[in-house]
Amino acid sequence: MRIESRKGENGIQIIVTDGGPGFSPEALQNAFMPFYSGREEGIGLGMTLTESLMTRMNGSITLGNSPEGGARIVLQLANGKEMTHG
């Protein structure tokens, strides 16, 4: 597993990749649907909840497969206002 982060003008991007088989075409199409799971023991709420949380934080989540193989998940977090604690 590899985790990278980048800070840009539009916020912070976190990229998570692994060396497994990657997402199936079916998983890429349905991963954010409630109760969809590619695993027999899964309940199908993990990606749905993650997408909901990212949206509430003005961010996004994108799933794909890395050109080198394996899954690739990109979390985009919007810039927030900095606060100074007095």
Side-chain angles (χ1 to χ4, degrees), residues 58-75:
N58 297 318
S60 64
I61 179 171
T62 307
L63 304 181
N65 290 316
S66 176
E68 299 84 26
R72 183 174 195 260
I73 301 172
V74 179
L75 304 170

Side-chain angles (χ1 to χ4, degrees), residues 18-32:
D18 71 14
F23 292 107
S24 69
E26 180 185 10
L28 288 172
Q29 184 175 0
N30 298 308
F32 299 116

Side-chain angles (χ1 to χ4, degrees), residues 22-63:
F23 292 107
S24 69
E26 180 185 10
L28 288 172
Q29 184 175 0
N30 298 308
F32 299 116
M33 298 293 294
F35 307 110
Y36 170 80
S37 179
R39 298 180 299 154
E40 192 172 311
E41 69 278 1
I43 60 172
L45 293 176
M47 287 296 185
T48 301
L49 293 173
T50 302
E51 181 185 39
S52 178
L53 289 171
M54 292 301 296
T55 301
R56 286 177 179 229
M57 296 186 296
N58 297 318
S60 64
I61 179 171
T62 307
L63 304 181

